[in-house]
Structure formats: structure tokens, C-alpha cells
Amino acid sequence: PAAPPVARAAAAESCEAPPLAARPWLAFTFPRSGSGWFVETLVARSGGALRGGEEIYFKKLRPGDCATGRPSDACACSLRRALGDPRNKGSVGYKFMLKTPSRRFADQRGHPALDGVAAAACGAQVPFVFLWRRNVLRRLVSYDANRLDKLGARGGHLAHPTNAAEAAAQRATRPHLNATDLAKAIDRELDARAAAEAALTSFCGAVESRVHYYE
């Protein structure tokens, strides 16, 4: 249940986070799910007046504040502090990278329990969306290929091609990916999506209109 108004006001006064002049959105997503494209599209439509914010994940919030996943004033303050960081002034929004149950297909920067962050985002009325890949297999392949790229297996790292020549060079590569347990990884990711949506639903209400797919 939500804290009474007096308790919320006291918590807000004790929080050292800067005030949110704007309400930057959060995109809850997994790596390789189109969040970079999403940020760039919004920035382009703003005429360059805005820019993309840094990604946020549990370890980037104040250590320990949101570690348990349970709602708390400390977690709410930590999220406000991250969103209001003066270094990101003018940001259109932030990517909140979620943790997947399959270590092979995500870098495990988060915590699977989102209740604390969900309560904080909804309490501050931060707008948010979920950005998923409709075809989960494509995300898994993209993530694994990008991981190999980071390791230098394809001659240097290029997360996103910036021109036709770079795109053609990426399409020409054929990394060998391990197909073991792919079906289980897809099932786990779908479960993780459902859990994230359920956490935000608990504190914000229906979220169906906030679910978007990149393909």
C-alpha cells in the first residue's frame, strides 16, 4: 500500500536528489531490443533540443538502496537522484536495462525483483514504456553476436552500424552461435517480461498501452 501523504512528504524532504524539472521517461528493456533506435528517434523529433540519457540499472542506483527489490524511501530517492543527475540535464529519457534469467544473453547488471523501482517510478509519476523484441530469438542472436564482436572475434566492436557500408559488413559475417537451450532461454525471457509488467501494474495500474515491440 502507498505511504500516507505526510510520510511521502517527509521522505521527499529528506531526499537529497535534485528536483525533476522535467519528467524524463524510462524505457524498461533488455539489451539489443531497439532502445538505442528509440532514443535516437525521440531526440531527432525534438530537433536536437533533447538528448538520450545514460542507461540506468540497479547497480547504477545508490548501492544497496534497491538491491532487495522491495519498495523503500531509499530506493525512491535513489531513482530520483539518478533521473535528476545534473550531468544528464536535458535528457529525453533513460534506458532501464533489465536482467534476464539466462546469463548467456544479458550482462546481469540488474535484479529480477522490480517492486522497489516500480513503486519509485509510479510514486514520482515518471512516464515509462516497455520495449521488447517480438521475436525473442532475434534478440538472443543479436546479443550473442554483439558479445563476440566485443571480444574481437569479428575484427573489432561495432554495436550499431552507422552507414550502409558498415551494415553490409555486419551482414557478411557469420558468427557461430551455440544453439543449446535456446528454447529454454526464450521461455525464461518471456517470463521475465511478464514479471516486469506485473511489477509496474501493481503500482501504476494497467500497462497494456505502454508495451511496445521493436522489429
Side-chain angles (χ1 to χ4, degrees):
V6 174
R8 288 200 298 269
E13 290 176 1
S14 65
C15 181
E16 298 176 357
L20 296 180
R23 296 223 174 258
W25 49 262
L26 284 174
F28 291 96
T29 188
F30 294 113
R32 315 303 294 180
S33 295
S35 54
W37 166 84
F38 189 47
V39 169
E40 290 166 8
T41 299
L42 290 177
V43 170
R45 290 186 177 182
S46 74
L50 300 172
R51 60 188 179 82
E54 294 296 321
E55 61 189 357
I56 298 175
Y57 39 89
F58 278 91
K59 289 183 180 178
K60 200 164 188 177
L61 302 178
R62 178 173 285 185
D65 286 348
C66 301
T68 66
R70 293 191 295 271
S72 68
D73 289 341
C75 184
C77 184
S78 192
L79 183 63
R80 285 185 55 208
R81 188 180 297 110
L83 291 174
D85 190 328
R87 292 172 295 180
N88 292 322
K89 185 177 180 181
S91 293
V92 66
Y94 303 81
K95 299 179 287 184
F96 196 109
M97 289 298 183
L98 297 171
K99 175 180 178 179
T100 72
S102 301
R103 297 189 66 85
R104 189 177 136 210
F105 296 110
D107 42 23
Q108 305 300 298
R109 290 178 289 187
H111 188 283
L114 269 179
D115 284 358
V117 171
C122 297
Q125 297 182 324
V126 175
F128 65 90
V129 295
F130 297 101
L131 189 59
W132 311 134
R133 288 291 290 261
R134 192 178 299 277
N135 188 325
V136 179
L137 178 60
R138 287 188 177 183
R139 191 200 77 78
L140 302 184
V141 170
S142 178
Y143 184 86
D144 224 11
N146 191 59
R147 178 182 61 80
L148 292 176
D149 200 27
K150 287 181 179 180
L151 294 174
R154 291 190 286 160
H157 180 54
L158 181 64
H160 304 284
T162 58
N163 54 53
E166 290 176 351
Q170 282 201 337
R171 284 195 295 269
T173 63
R174 294 292 184 269
H176 294 277
L177 307 180
N178 184 351
T180 305
D181 293 332
L182 275 180
K184 291 182 180 178
I186 291 172
D187 284 340
R188 292 188 189 112
E189 183 149 325
L190 294 175
D191 289 343
R193 286 184 188 180
E197 292 176 19
L200 271 295
T201 297
S202 296
F203 297 95
C204 295
V207 299
E208 287 82 358
S209 63
R210 300 174 184 266
V211 179
H212 300 276
Y213 295 94
Y214 168 76
E215 222 31 90

